[in-house]
Amino acid sequence: MSEAERIWVVDRVEGRIAVLVADDDEETLDVPLNVLPHGLREGTVLRVTESEGHPLWASAMLDEELRLKRLRQAETALNELKSRDPGGDIVL
Amino acid sequence: MIRGTYGAALMRSSRFLWCATLLLVFPGYGVASQGQSGQGQSGEPIRVTFLDVGQADAILIRSPEGQIALVDAGRGEPLRSLGELGVEKIDLLVATHPHADHIGGMAGVINSIPVRFYMDNGQPHTTATYQNLMRTLQQRTDITYLAAEPRTIGLGSAEIEVLPLLPVNSTDHNNRSVGLVLRYGSFVVFLSGDSEVRELAFWVQQGVVPDVTVLKAPHHGSDNGFTWEFLQDAQPEVVVISVGGNSYGHPRPEALQAYTSVTPTVLRTDYHGQVTILGYEDGRYEVMLGEETVATGQERETQEQRRRATVEELVDSVPPVAPSVSGSLSLGVFADAPGNDHQNPNGEYAVLESGLSDDLQIGGWFLCDAASHCFHFPSDAVLRAGGQVVVYTGSGRTDGVRFFMGSGRAVWNNDGDTATLYDASSTVVARHVYE
């Protein structure tokens, strides 16, 4: 049996469903919250073991360090983009 | 806008007498052809197309002069639809919020079609989809970034007003969706991504929800994507729900019931496919499914005309100043903001000062300029005895003394204007004229 680890990120929570986005190919999956670890929120990064290509959700582990790193990177990118804003009203 | 009960508001709105009477919300209902589309008396229409992108959003706007805006880009690439619609450039690309069902196709669009301006809510996310979009934008230094803050974007003869966002760190991505009001004369469209109750209530409280012709149902018709107060202010003639197959029950029956109680013209992209609405400057519109026109609306007054008429009616019908507080309240306006007034709306403000010995409940009162730009005080607002409140024109967080109209532009004329304060029963309680 082949096992691998895949990173999934909680894109959003719709009621009792977490919508996850895979890191490698941006595949999206709807997963019931009750099979995932407690404490999930939007942006939570999960490391999930896969067996024969199937995610083992019970194995999911939160990676808080990676979540915070990505947020810092995103803030840096946003700050660079915001420096391009001419401000005020715009006429196209 | 003068608010009343929901039923009274509907009865008062003559637009509902003009509204088409097609029921389109459920499959199997009749769809009747009502005429040919084309140029109206007021000239070329603006086209608003809700692309059929499944459980996602992608709305294309084409101004009469050909400027193009795309609000959200689905979860896959909407390139095929954009190609079929002849889109060869995009003047403004808006990501209402960074969920994958709104930005999933955005990097692909940017890499395939020239884009001039890009706007988002400035809120970071951690998904690969968002990271990919950020990398793409960083590489494309020819694209000008625009922060979603109160400002106006001219799209040919149409105009997009960007609404204030909820304060940072107060909420989730949905409730930080970019809110846009598209105006082409009397034709008005409200787009707000996946806004939920908190953001919709915030906009109602800020008094920035206009009467609209078309409403994109917030959050794909979720039960947390509407409030009755919001619908009372918006009073849409057409509601479009951008929705596809999903495992969380969108659109919810509660939302469908709410929308169909406001207007008979409710369309769903999962049943009706791509929906195009042609809007004319005089407020007329045609709803098109493919080549077929399935609903039409008649011309209407602009919101400003309605407000002006309402205020004139009030001024004519009530005593000039209520005697109970006459002389005890003073109103002042500081109209000349430092620098460019339109770029510094909080540089101008109105001050209401009390000469009373008791606190005064001013919840529901409203302050208007001569052109009927009005600010509604929230229900818990109090003017302390001998104190004052300040109403800034721009956006900000209310602390009970400082209030904000939420306008992206200056309101008070520097060369003369009239400030009028009405109480909750629309009685004039103070007026200040300056030249």
Side-chain angles (χ1 to χ4, degrees):
Chain A
M1 185 170 70
S2 64
E3 288 194 349
E5 185 183 76
R6 201 173 181 198
I7 293 179
W8 294 83
V9 175
V10 180
D11 183 57
R12 60 193 187 274
V13 176
E14 301 279 6
R16 296 178 180 177
I17 301 289
V19 181
L20 307 181
V21 176
D23 250 22
D24 46 9
D25 61 359
E26 299 186 35
E27 175 189 1
T28 62
L29 274 183
D30 294 352
V31 181
L33 281 172
N34 61 10
V35 305
L36 294 169
H38 291 295
L40 287 187
R41 54 178 168 164
E42 290 185 356
T44 295
V45 178
L46 295 171
R47 292 187 178 277
V48 183
T49 301
E50 294 205 338
S51 177
E52 304 293 342
H54 298 290
L56 304 174
W57 297 117
S59 74
M61 301 283 288
L62 277 63
D63 189 336
E64 184 65 2
E65 190 176 334
L66 183 54
R67 185 185 77 86
L68 293 173
K69 180 183 176 185
R70 290 187 176 189
L71 282 178
R72 286 194 298 271
Q73 290 172 336
E75 292 280 8
T76 302
L78 278 168
N79 287 335
E80 189 277 319
L81 291 175
K82 287 173 184 173
S83 69
R84 302 183 195 173
D85 190 337
D89 296 340
I90 302 292
V91 176
L92 300 178
Chain B
M1 184 183 303
I2 309 303
R3 296 177 183 155
T5 64
Y6 185 58
L10 292 185
M11 292 297 289
R12 201 168 49 240
S13 173
S14 56
R15 287 195 291 131
F16 283 81
L17 300 176
W18 298 334
C19 188
T21 55
L22 293 177
L23 281 170
L24 299 169
V25 68
F26 299 113
Y29 277 45
V31 176
S33 178
Q34 293 197 350
Q36 300 296 313
S37 63
Q39 184 172 328
Q41 292 177 352
S42 58
E44 288 292 322
I46 191 167
R47 288 175 174 265
V48 181
T49 301
F50 296 82
L51 304 181
D52 181 11
V53 289
Q55 179 65 17
D57 271 13
I59 300 111
L60 184 73
I61 301 166
R62 189 191 298 266
S63 77
E65 294 79 17
Q67 286 89 346
I68 289 177
L70 180 65
V71 181
D72 289 328
R75 59 179 174 176
E77 294 186 10
L79 288 171
R80 182 176 170 187
S81 296
L82 295 176
E84 289 171 354
L85 292 167
V87 176
E88 296 177 344
K89 51 101 182 178
I90 293 173
D91 297 288
L92 175 66
L93 181 61
V94 180
T96 60
H97 64 296
H99 284 158
D101 55 337
H102 294 254
I103 64 166
M106 211 150 268
V109 168
I110 292 171
N111 286 325
S112 305
I113 301 174
V115 173
R116 292 177 62 200
F117 291 88
Y118 166 87
M119 173 184 289
D120 69 19
N121 66 359
Q123 186 129 346
H125 202 6
T126 54
T127 60
T129 308
Y130 180 80
Q131 288 182 305
N132 185 26
L133 173 58
M134 284 294 106
R135 277 194 298 273
T136 303
L137 285 166
Q138 284 188 295
Q139 291 163 1
R140 290 291 303 273
T141 54
D142 57 317
I143 297 175
T144 302
Y145 178 88
L146 299 175
E149 58 190 24
R151 66 201 310 173
T152 302
I153 298 174
L155 196 69
S157 52
E159 187 178 88
I160 295 174
E161 177 189 357
V162 184
L163 301 183
L165 294 169
L166 267 175
V168 177
N169 295 330
S170 69
T171 186
D172 57 358
H173 289 308
N174 281 351
N175 275 314
R176 290 266 295 168
S177 290
V178 177
L180 303 174
V181 178
L182 169 69
R183 289 188 176 88
Y184 177 48
S186 303
F187 178 76
V188 183
V189 181
F190 196 97
L191 305 171
S192 67
D194 283 357
S195 296
E196 296 179 1
V197 169
R198 291 182 65 186
E199 187 167 46
L200 297 172
F202 170 70
W203 286 330
V204 168
Q205 185 266 329
Q206 292 281 308
V208 296
V209 181
D211 286 2
V212 305
T213 318
V214 179
L215 169 68
K216 185 204 81 74
H219 198 188
H220 315 285
S222 169
D223 54 1
N224 59 22
F226 75 94
T227 73
W228 288 107
E229 292 78 13
F230 171 77
L231 290 177
Q232 179 181 329
D233 280 2
Q235 298 187 27
E237 295 182 32
V238 177
V239 175
V240 181
I241 307 173
S242 189
V243 66
N246 65 85
S247 59
Y248 23 89
H250 293 169
R252 298 288 300 173
E254 301 91 331
L256 288 173
Q257 187 177 16
Y259 295 136
T260 51
S261 72
V262 175
T263 175
T265 309
V266 180
L267 299 107
R268 303 169 50 162
T269 55
D270 57 343
Y271 290 154
H272 301 106
Q274 182 172 290
V275 177
T276 297
I277 301 171
L278 309 185
Y280 296 88
E281 203 166 11
D282 59 10
R284 289 176 301 120
Y285 63 86
E286 301 171 32
V287 181
M288 303 189 68
L289 303 179
E291 297 299 314
E292 189 173 33
T293 301
V294 297
T296 59
Q298 302 300 312
E299 65 186 49
R300 53 191 285 237
E301 295 174 296
T302 64
Q303 185 177 30
E304 183 167 329
Q305 286 170 330
R306 278 197 301 283
R307 280 181 171 168
R308 193 187 300 273
T310 304
V311 170
E312 286 172 356
E313 188 178 302
L314 286 169
V315 170
D316 289 344
S317 62
V318 298
V321 175
S324 60
V325 293
S326 175
S328 301
L329 298 177
S330 62
L331 198 54
V333 174
F334 297 81
D336 191 6
N340 184 326
D341 284 20
H342 287 311
Q343 293 180 2
N344 183 21
N346 278 340
E348 62 170 38
Y349 50 93
V351 178
L352 173 63
E353 194 167 273
S354 170
L356 298 166
S357 55
D358 295 315
D359 292 350
L360 185 62
Q361 305 292 326
I362 57 172
W365 292 27
F366 51 106
L367 174 69
C368 301
D369 72 350
S372 304
H373 298 105
C374 296
F375 169 74
H376 292 252
F377 286 93
S379 58
D380 58 353
V382 176
L383 176 60
R384 297 297 176 195
Q388 60 177 215
V389 296
V390 183
V391 179
Y392 293 91
T393 298
S395 297
R397 192 169 195 168
T398 295
D399 61 6
V401 174
R402 291 173 293 185
F403 296 89
F404 297 87
M405 296 180 77
S407 172
R409 298 172 62 83
V411 166
W412 301 106
N413 294 325
N414 290 353
D415 57 354
D417 211 332
T418 299
T420 306
L421 180 70
Y422 301 87
D423 69 12
S425 65
S426 303
T427 300
V428 177
V429 292
R431 183 176 288 138
H432 172 66
V433 180
Y434 65 92
E435 294 179 349

